Amino acid sequence: MADTALVLGGGGTIGLAWTVGILAGLAEAGLDLSGADVTIGTSAGSVIGSRLASGVTAEEMYEENLAGAGELDVKVTAGQTARFLWAALGSRDPERSVRRLGRAALASRTAPESAVHGAVATLLAGVREWPGRALRLTAVDARSGALEVFDAASGVSLPEAVAASCAVPVVWPPVSVAGRRWMDGGSRSTANVQLARGHRRVVAIAPIPKAVGPHPSATQQGADLAAGGASVAVLTPDRPSLKAFGRNMLDQSRRAAAARAGRVQAASCVDTVRAVWTA
């Protein structure tokens, strides 16, 4: 078995801020997870993972969120929400559900793809090259519903991989990379904890524990890994953190509150994470 894996799930800009708060709080307690043998990022987690693996510290990202740096102007309408839910919840079969979501994403009139790339450039804040550390970023083929994992050997640039991972269906258009159209890596699993299989110690941070539709939760996926012999901790928001989130995971006004809530919650996770990370 390989050793440590850090799994970072999706959750919009609010989930991003909370995850950074968790990481900063753990680092303050002496648990710096940035040295993981592999970092696996999905959607917002792909942004954090890319920056963390490139040497940007959790504390730096935490301070950025408190200061409101890299603010995005993304509006989600009631109609977009309804179309997303109709597609994702229209089947009890996981494969049919994700293909329905892909068709809805391809048919929706949204912003141009350049808007996704522009937003990702803002979020990455100058990070453009694949880091030397092992980094895997997820995306879902909008036509087939298949999960893809991009890494430094995939032949796509880091910003392209992150854009593919962050292309929220119906809100943003599927992103064209390597001749295919890609939507958010969290479309069938918000964190893709299953990709850490083969690692002995796994810490997963999932601001949204489960994707909309008939899909497994991050906690379920973590339990599957544990049943296979891995030592696993899956961190999800507690009640105060959920209150800080509000209803809109893209609400820029709540970023600082979400980051602070994550940092506070981290204190209650230290023993659990230490037991896994230092096992």
Side-chain angles (χ1 to χ4, degrees), residues 96-176:
R96 290 181 180 177
S97 172
V98 76
R99 287 197 296 269
R100 281 174 58 93
L101 190 56
R103 287 195 295 271
L106 290 165
S108 295
R109 294 183 177 180
T110 60
E113 287 188 40
S114 59
V116 186
H117 290 288
V120 164
T122 296
L123 292 170
L124 287 175
V127 172
R128 296 194 55 82
E129 304 297 328
W130 286 97
R133 298 175 183 173
L135 175 67
R136 300 173 186 168
L137 307 179
T138 67
V140 171
D141 188 310
R143 299 193 185 281
S144 70
L147 178 69
E148 181 75 16
V149 180
F150 294 113
D151 61 17
S154 297
V156 303
S157 72
L158 179 66
E160 286 177 325
V162 174
S165 190
C166 290
V168 181
V170 183
V171 175
W172 273 342
V175 170
S176 302

Coordinates of all heavy atoms in Angstrom, one line a residue, residues 96-176:
R96 N -27.7 6.6 -15.1 CA -28.7 7.4 -15.8 C -28.8 8.9 -15.2 O -29.0 9.8 -16.0 CB -30.1 6.8 -15.7 CG -30.2 5.5 -16.5 CD -31.6 4.9 -16.4 NE -31.7 3.6 -17.2 CZ -32.8 2.9 -17.2 NH1 -33.9 3.2 -16.5 NH2 -32.8 1.8 -17.9
S97 N -28.7 9.0 -13.9 CA -28.8 10.3 -13.3 C -27.7 11.2 -13.8 O -27.9 12.4 -14.2 CB -28.7 10.1 -11.8 OG -28.6 11.4 -11.1
V98 N -26.4 10.7 -13.8 CA -25.3 11.6 -14.2 C -25.4 11.9 -15.7 O -25.0 13.0 -16.2 CB -24.0 10.9 -13.8 CG1 -23.6 9.8 -14.7 CG2 -22.9 12.0 -13.8
R99 N -25.9 10.9 -16.5 CA -26.1 11.2 -18.0 C -27.2 12.2 -18.2 O -27.1 13.1 -19.1 CB -26.4 9.9 -18.7 CG -25.1 9.0 -18.9 CD -25.3 8.0 -20.0 NE -26.4 7.0 -19.6 CZ -26.2 5.9 -19.0 NH1 -25.0 5.5 -18.6 NH2 -27.3 5.1 -18.8
R100 N -28.2 12.2 -17.4 CA -29.3 13.2 -17.5 C -28.7 14.6 -17.2 O -29.0 15.6 -17.9 CB -30.4 12.9 -16.5 CG -31.4 11.8 -17.0 CD -32.4 11.5 -15.8 NE -33.1 12.7 -15.4 CZ -34.3 13.0 -15.9 NH1 -34.9 12.3 -16.8 NH2 -34.9 14.1 -15.4
L101 N -27.9 14.6 -16.2 CA -27.3 15.9 -15.8 C -26.3 16.4 -16.9 O -26.3 17.6 -17.2 CB -26.5 15.7 -14.5 CG -26.0 17.0 -13.8 CD1 -27.1 17.9 -13.5 CD2 -25.3 16.6 -12.5
G102 N -25.6 15.5 -17.5 CA -24.7 15.9 -18.6 C -25.5 16.4 -19.8 O -25.1 17.4 -20.4
R103 N -26.6 15.8 -20.1 CA -27.5 16.3 -21.2 C -28.0 17.7 -20.9 O -28.0 18.6 -21.8 CB -28.6 15.4 -21.5 CG -28.2 14.1 -22.2 CD -29.4 13.3 -22.8 NE -30.3 12.8 -21.8 CZ -30.2 11.7 -21.2 NH1 -29.2 10.8 -21.5 NH2 -31.1 11.3 -20.3
A104 N -28.4 17.9 -19.6 CA -28.9 19.2 -19.2 C -27.8 20.3 -19.3 O -28.0 21.4 -19.7 CB -29.5 19.1 -17.8
A105 N -26.6 19.9 -18.9 CA -25.5 20.8 -19.0 C -25.2 21.2 -20.4 O -24.9 22.4 -20.7 CB -24.2 20.2 -18.3
L106 N -25.2 20.2 -21.3 CA -24.8 20.5 -22.7 C -25.9 21.3 -23.4 O -25.6 22.1 -24.3 CB -24.7 19.2 -23.5 CG -23.4 18.4 -23.1 CD1 -23.5 16.9 -23.6 CD2 -22.2 19.0 -23.7
A107 N -27.2 21.2 -22.9 CA -28.3 21.9 -23.6 C -28.5 23.3 -23.0 O -29.2 24.2 -23.6 CB -29.6 21.1 -23.4
S108 N -27.9 23.6 -21.8 CA -28.2 24.9 -21.1 C -27.5 26.0 -21.8 O -26.3 25.9 -22.2 CB -27.8 24.8 -19.7 OG -28.6 23.8 -19.0
R109 N -28.1 27.2 -21.8 CA -27.5 28.4 -22.3 C -26.9 29.1 -21.1 O -27.7 29.6 -20.2 CB -28.5 29.3 -23.0 CG -29.1 28.7 -24.3 CD -30.0 29.6 -25.0 NE -30.5 29.1 -26.3 CZ -31.3 29.7 -27.1 NH1 -31.8 30.9 -26.8 NH2 -31.7 29.2 -28.2
T110 N -25.6 29.1 -21.0 CA -25.0 29.7 -19.8 C -23.9 30.7 -20.3 O -23.9 31.1 -21.5 CB -24.3 28.6 -19.0 OG1 -23.4 27.9 -19.8 CG2 -25.3 27.6 -18.4
A111 N -23.0 31.0 -19.5 CA -21.9 31.9 -19.9 C -21.0 31.1 -20.8 O -21.0 29.9 -20.9 CB -21.1 32.3 -18.6
P112 N -20.1 31.8 -21.6 CA -19.2 31.2 -22.5 C -18.1 30.4 -21.7 O -17.9 30.7 -20.5 CB -18.6 32.3 -23.3 CG -18.7 33.5 -22.4 CD -20.0 33.3 -21.7
E113 N -17.5 29.5 -22.3 CA -16.4 28.7 -21.6 C -15.3 29.6 -21.1 O -14.7 29.3 -20.1 CB -15.8 27.6 -22.6 CG -16.7 26.5 -22.8 CD -16.0 25.4 -23.6 OE1 -14.9 25.1 -23.3 OE2 -16.7 24.8 -24.5
S114 N -15.1 30.7 -21.8 CA -14.0 31.6 -21.4 C -14.3 32.1 -20.0 O -13.4 32.5 -19.2 CB -13.9 32.8 -22.3 OG -15.2 33.5 -22.4
A115 N -15.6 32.2 -19.6 CA -15.9 32.7 -18.2 C -15.4 31.7 -17.2 O -15.0 32.1 -16.1 CB -17.4 32.9 -18.1
V116 N -15.5 30.4 -17.5 CA -15.0 29.4 -16.6 C -13.5 29.5 -16.4 O -13.0 29.5 -15.3 CB -15.4 28.0 -17.0 CG1 -15.0 26.9 -16.0 CG2 -16.9 27.9 -17.4
H117 N -12.8 29.6 -17.6 CA -11.4 29.7 -17.5 C -10.9 31.0 -16.8 O -9.9 31.0 -16.0 CB -10.8 29.7 -18.9 CG -10.9 28.4 -19.6 ND1 -10.2 27.3 -19.2 CD2 -11.8 28.0 -20.6 CE1 -10.5 26.3 -20.0 NE2 -11.4 26.6 -20.8
G118 N -11.7 32.1 -17.0 CA -11.4 33.3 -16.3 C -11.5 33.2 -14.8 O -10.7 33.7 -14.0
A119 N -12.6 32.6 -14.4 CA -12.9 32.4 -12.9 C -11.8 31.5 -12.3 O -11.3 31.7 -11.2 CB -14.3 31.7 -12.7
V120 N -11.4 30.4 -13.0 CA -10.4 29.5 -12.5 C -9.0 30.2 -12.4 O -8.3 30.0 -11.4 CB -10.3 28.3 -13.4 CG1 -9.0 27.5 -13.2 CG2 -11.5 27.4 -13.2
A121 N -8.7 31.1 -13.4 CA -7.5 31.8 -13.3 C -7.5 32.7 -12.0 O -6.4 32.8 -11.4 CB -7.3 32.7 -14.5
T122 N -8.6 33.3 -11.7 CA -8.7 34.1 -10.5 C -8.5 33.3 -9.3 O -7.8 33.6 -8.3 CB -10.1 34.8 -10.4 OG1 -10.2 35.7 -11.5 CG2 -10.3 35.6 -9.1
L123 N -9.1 32.1 -9.2 CA -9.0 31.2 -8.1 C -7.6 30.6 -7.9 O -7.2 30.5 -6.8 CB -10.1 30.1 -8.2 CG -11.5 30.5 -8.1 CD1 -12.4 29.3 -8.4 CD2 -11.9 31.0 -6.7
L124 N -7.0 30.3 -9.0 CA -5.6 29.7 -8.9 C -4.6 30.8 -8.5 O -3.5 30.4 -8.0 CB -5.3 29.1 -10.2 CG -5.9 27.7 -10.5 CD1 -5.6 27.2 -11.9 CD2 -5.6 26.7 -9.5
A125 N -4.9 32.0 -8.8 CA -4.0 33.2 -8.3 C -2.6 33.0 -8.7 O -1.7 33.1 -7.9 CB -4.2 33.3 -6.8
G126 N -2.4 32.7 -10.0 CA -1.0 32.6 -10.5 C -0.4 31.2 -10.6 O 0.6 31.1 -11.3
V127 N -1.0 30.2 -10.1 CA -0.6 28.9 -10.2 C -1.0 28.3 -11.6 O -2.2 28.3 -11.8 CB -1.1 28.0 -9.1 CG1 -0.8 26.5 -9.3 CG2 -0.6 28.4 -7.7
R128 N -0.1 27.9 -12.4 CA -0.4 27.5 -13.7 C 0.2 26.2 -14.2 O -0.2 25.6 -15.2 CB 0.0 28.6 -14.8 CG -0.8 29.9 -14.6 CD -0.6 30.8 -15.8 NE -0.9 30.2 -17.1 CZ -2.2 30.1 -17.5 NH1 -3.2 30.6 -16.8 NH2 -2.4 29.5 -18.7
E129 N 1.2 25.8 -13.5 CA 2.0 24.5 -13.9 C 1.7 23.4 -12.9 O 1.4 23.6 -11.7 CB 3.5 24.8 -13.9 CG 3.9 26.0 -14.8 CD 3.6 25.7 -16.2 OE1 3.6 24.5 -16.7 OE2 3.3 26.7 -17.0
W130 N 1.7 22.2 -13.4 CA 1.5 21.0 -12.6 C 2.7 21.0 -11.6 O 3.8 21.2 -11.9 CB 1.5 19.7 -13.4 CG 0.3 19.5 -14.2 CD1 0.1 19.8 -15.5 CD2 -1.0 18.9 -13.7 NE1 -1.2 19.5 -15.9 CE2 -1.9 18.9 -14.8 CE3 -1.4 18.4 -12.5 CZ2 -3.2 18.4 -14.7 CZ3 -2.7 18.0 -12.3 CH2 -3.6 18.0 -13.4
P131 N 2.4 20.8 -10.3 CA 3.4 20.8 -9.3 C 4.2 19.5 -9.3 O 3.8 18.5 -10.0 CB 2.6 20.8 -8.0 CG 1.3 20.2 -8.3 CD 1.0 20.6 -9.7
G132 N 5.3 19.5 -8.6 CA 6.2 18.3 -8.6 C 5.5 17.2 -7.7 O 5.8 16.0 -7.9
R133 N 4.7 17.5 -6.8 CA 4.0 16.6 -6.0 C 2.8 15.9 -6.7 O 2.3 16.5 -7.6 CB 3.4 17.2 -4.7 CG 4.5 17.9 -3.8 CD 3.8 18.6 -2.7 NE 4.8 19.3 -1.8 CZ 4.4 20.1 -0.8 NH1 3.1 20.3 -0.6 NH2 5.3 20.7 -0.1
A134 N 2.5 14.7 -6.4 CA 1.4 14.0 -7.0 C 0.1 14.6 -6.8 O -0.3 14.8 -5.7 CB 1.4 12.5 -6.6
L135 N -0.6 15.0 -7.9 CA -1.9 15.7 -7.8 C -2.8 15.1 -8.9 O -2.4 15.0 -10.0 CB -1.6 17.2 -8.1 CG -2.9 18.1 -8.2 CD1 -3.6 18.2 -6.9 CD2 -2.5 19.5 -8.8
R136 N -4.0 14.7 -8.4 CA -5.0 14.2 -9.3 C -6.3 15.0 -9.2 O -6.8 15.2 -8.1 CB -5.3 12.7 -9.0 CG -4.0 11.8 -9.0 CD -4.3 10.4 -8.5 NE -3.1 9.6 -8.5 CZ -3.0 8.5 -7.9 NH1 -4.0 8.0 -7.2 NH2 -1.8 7.8 -7.9
L137 N -6.8 15.4 -10.4 CA -8.0 16.2 -10.4 C -9.1 15.5 -11.2 O -8.8 15.0 -12.3 CB -7.6 17.6 -11.1 CG -6.5 18.3 -10.4 CD1 -6.2 19.6 -11.2 CD2 -6.7 18.6 -8.9
T138 N -10.3 15.6 -10.7 CA -11.4 14.9 -11.3 C -12.3 15.7 -12.2 O -12.5 16.9 -12.0 CB -12.3 14.2 -10.2 OG1 -13.0 15.3 -9.5 CG2 -11.5 13.4 -9.3
A139 N -12.9 15.1 -13.2 CA -13.9 15.7 -14.1 C -14.8 14.6 -14.6 O -14.4 13.4 -14.5 CB -13.3 16.5 -15.2
V140 N -16.0 15.0 -15.0 CA -16.9 14.0 -15.6 C -17.2 14.3 -17.0 O -17.5 15.5 -17.3 CB -18.2 14.0 -14.7 CG1 -19.3 13.1 -15.4 CG2 -17.9 13.4 -13.3
D141 N -17.1 13.3 -17.9 CA -17.5 13.5 -19.3 C -19.0 13.8 -19.4 O -19.8 13.0 -19.0 CB -17.2 12.2 -20.0 CG -17.3 12.3 -21.5 OD1 -18.4 12.8 -22.0 OD2 -16.4 11.9 -22.3
A142 N -19.3 15.0 -19.9 CA -20.7 15.4 -20.0 C -21.5 14.5 -20.9 O -22.8 14.5 -20.8 CB -20.8 16.9 -20.4
R143 N -20.9 13.8 -21.8 CA -21.7 13.0 -22.8 C -21.9 11.6 -22.2 O -23.0 11.0 -22.3 CB -21.0 13.0 -24.1 CG -20.9 14.3 -24.8 CD -20.5 14.3 -26.3 NE -20.3 15.6 -26.8 CZ -21.3 16.4 -27.2 NH1 -22.6 16.0 -27.1 NH2 -21.0 17.6 -27.7
S144 N -20.9 11.0 -21.7 CA -21.0 9.6 -21.2 C -21.2 9.5 -19.7 O -21.7 8.4 -19.3 CB -19.7 8.9 -21.6 OG -18.6 9.3 -20.8
G145 N -20.9 10.5 -19.0 CA -21.0 10.4 -17.5 C -19.9 9.7 -16.8 O -19.9 9.5 -15.6
A146 N -18.8 9.4 -17.6 CA -17.7 8.7 -17.0 C -16.8 9.7 -16.3 O -16.6 10.8 -16.7 CB -16.9 8.0 -18.2
L147 N -16.2 9.2 -15.2 CA -15.3 9.9 -14.4 C -13.9 9.8 -15.0 O -13.5 8.8 -15.4 CB -15.2 9.4 -12.9 CG -14.3 10.0 -12.0 CD1 -14.7 11.5 -11.6 CD2 -14.1 9.2 -10.7
E148 N -13.2 11.0 -15.0 CA -11.8 11.0 -15.5 C -11.0 11.6 -14.4 O -11.4 12.5 -13.7 CB -11.8 11.9 -16.8 CG -10.4 12.0 -17.4 CD -9.9 10.8 -18.1 OE1 -10.8 9.9 -18.4 OE2 -8.7 10.6 -18.4
V149 N -9.7 11.2 -14.4 CA -8.8 11.7 -13.4 C -7.6 12.3 -14.2 O -6.9 11.6 -14.9 CB -8.3 10.7 -12.4 CG1 -7.3 11.3 -11.5 CG2 -9.4 10.1 -11.7
F150 N -7.4 13.6 -14.1 CA -6.3 14.3 -14.8 C -5.1 14.4 -13.8 O -5.2 14.7 -12.7 CB -6.7 15.7 -15.2 CG -7.7 15.8 -16.3 CD1 -9.0 16.3 -16.0 CD2 -7.5 15.3 -17.6 CE1 -10.0 16.3 -17.0 CE2 -8.5 15.4 -18.6 CZ -9.7 15.9 -18.3
D151 N -3.9 14.2 -14.4 CA -2.7 14.5 -13.7 C -1.6 15.1 -14.6 O -1.9 15.4 -15.8 CB -2.2 13.2 -12.9 CG -1.8 12.1 -13.9 OD1 -1.7 12.3 -15.1 OD2 -1.7 10.9 -13.4
A152 N -0.4 15.2 -14.1 CA 0.7 15.8 -14.9 C 1.0 15.1 -16.2 O 1.5 15.6 -17.1 CB 1.9 16.0 -14.1
A153 N 0.6 13.8 -16.2 CA 0.9 13.0 -17.4 C -0.3 12.9 -18.4 O -0.2 12.2 -19.4 CB 1.3 11.6 -17.0
S154 N -1.3 13.7 -18.1 CA -2.5 13.6 -19.0 C -2.5 14.4 -20.3 O -3.3 14.2 -21.1 CB -3.8 14.0 -18.2 OG -4.0 13.2 -17.1
G155 N -1.5 15.2 -20.4 CA -1.4 16.0 -21.6 C -2.3 17.2 -21.7 O -2.5 17.8 -22.8
V156 N -2.9 17.6 -20.5 CA -3.6 18.9 -20.5 C -3.0 19.8 -19.5 O -2.3 19.3 -18.6 CB -5.1 18.6 -20.1 CG1 -5.7 17.6 -21.1 CG2 -5.2 18.1 -18.7
S157 N -3.2 21.1 -19.6 CA -2.6 22.0 -18.7 C -3.3 22.0 -17.3 O -4.5 21.5 -17.3 CB -2.6 23.4 -19.2 OG -4.0 23.9 -19.2
L158 N -2.7 22.4 -16.3 CA -3.3 22.5 -15.0 C -4.6 23.3 -15.0 O -5.6 22.9 -14.5 CB -2.3 23.0 -13.9 CG -2.9 23.1 -12.5 CD1 -3.2 21.7 -12.0 CD2 -1.9 23.8 -11.6
P159 N -4.5 24.6 -15.5 CA -5.7 25.4 -15.6 C -6.9 24.7 -16.3 O -8.0 24.8 -15.9 CB -5.3 26.7 -16.2 CG -3.8 26.8 -15.9 CD -3.3 25.4 -16.0
E160 N -6.6 24.0 -17.4 CA -7.6 23.3 -18.1 C -8.2 22.2 -17.3 O -9.5 22.0 -17.2 CB -7.0 22.6 -19.4 CG -6.7 23.6 -20.5 CD -6.1 22.9 -21.7 OE1 -5.3 22.0 -21.5 OE2 -6.4 23.3 -22.9
A161 N -7.4 21.4 -16.5 CA -7.9 20.4 -15.7 C -8.8 20.9 -14.6 O -9.8 20.4 -14.2 CB -6.8 19.6 -15.1
V162 N -8.4 22.0 -14.0 CA -9.1 22.7 -12.9 C -10.5 23.2 -13.5 O -11.5 23.1 -12.8 CB -8.3 23.8 -12.2 CG1 -9.2 24.5 -11.2 CG2 -7.1 23.2 -11.5
A163 N -10.4 23.8 -14.6 CA -11.7 24.3 -15.2 C -12.6 23.2 -15.5 O -13.8 23.3 -15.2 CB -11.3 25.1 -16.5
A164 N -12.1 22.1 -16.0 CA -13.0 20.9 -16.2 C -13.6 20.4 -14.9 O -14.8 20.1 -14.9 CB -12.2 19.8 -16.9
S165 N -12.8 20.4 -13.9 CA -13.3 19.9 -12.6 C -14.3 20.9 -12.0 O -15.2 20.4 -11.2 CB -12.1 19.7 -11.6 OG -12.5 19.1 -10.5
C166 N -14.3 22.1 -12.3 CA -15.1 23.1 -11.7 C -16.4 23.5 -12.5 O -17.1 24.4 -12.0 CB -14.3 24.4 -11.4 SG -13.1 24.2 -10.1
A167 N -16.6 22.9 -13.6 CA -17.7 23.4 -14.5 C -19.0 22.9 -14.0 O -19.5 21.8 -14.5 CB -17.4 22.9 -15.9
V168 N -19.6 23.6 -13.1 CA -20.9 23.2 -12.4 C -22.0 23.1 -13.5 O -22.2 24.0 -14.2 CB -21.3 24.2 -11.4 CG1 -22.6 23.8 -10.7 CG2 -20.2 24.4 -10.4
P169 N -22.6 21.9 -13.6 CA -23.6 21.7 -14.7 C -24.8 22.7 -14.6 O -25.2 23.0 -13.5 CB -24.1 20.3 -14.4 CG -23.0 19.6 -13.6 CD -22.4 20.7 -12.8
V170 N -25.2 23.2 -15.7 CA -26.3 24.2 -15.8 C -25.9 25.6 -15.4 O -26.4 26.6 -16.0 CB -27.6 23.7 -15.1 CG1 -28.7 24.6 -15.3 CG2 -27.9 22.3 -15.5
V171 N -25.0 25.7 -14.5 CA -24.5 27.1 -14.1 C -23.4 27.5 -15.0 O -23.4 28.7 -15.5 CB -24.0 27.0 -12.6 CG1 -23.5 28.4 -12.2 CG2 -25.2 26.6 -11.7
W172 N -22.5 26.7 -15.3 CA -21.4 26.9 -16.2 C -21.4 25.9 -17.3 O -21.9 24.8 -17.1 CB -20.0 26.9 -15.5 CG -19.6 28.2 -14.8 CD1 -20.1 29.4 -15.1 CD2 -18.6 28.3 -13.9 NE1 -19.4 30.3 -14.3 CE2 -18.5 29.7 -13.6 CE3 -17.7 27.4 -13.2 CZ2 -17.6 30.2 -12.6 CZ3 -16.8 28.0 -12.3 CH2 -16.7 29.3 -12.0
P173 N -20.9 26.2 -18.5 CA -20.9 25.3 -19.6 C -19.9 24.2 -19.4 O -18.9 24.4 -18.7 CB -20.6 26.1 -20.8 CG -19.7 27.2 -20.2 CD -20.3 27.5 -18.9
P174 N -20.1 23.0 -20.0 CA -19.1 22.0 -20.0 C -17.9 22.5 -20.7 O -18.0 23.3 -21.7 CB -19.7 20.8 -20.8 CG -21.2 21.0 -20.6 CD -21.4 22.5 -20.6
V175 N -16.7 22.2 -20.2 CA -15.4 22.8 -20.7 C -14.8 21.8 -21.7 O -14.8 20.6 -21.5 CB -14.5 23.0 -19.5 CG1 -13.1 23.3 -20.0 CG2 -15.0 24.1 -18.7
S176 N -14.4 22.4 -22.8 CA -13.7 21.5 -23.9 C -12.3 21.4 -23.6 O -11.5 22.3 -23.6 CB -13.9 22.2 -25.2 OG -15.3 22.4 -25.5

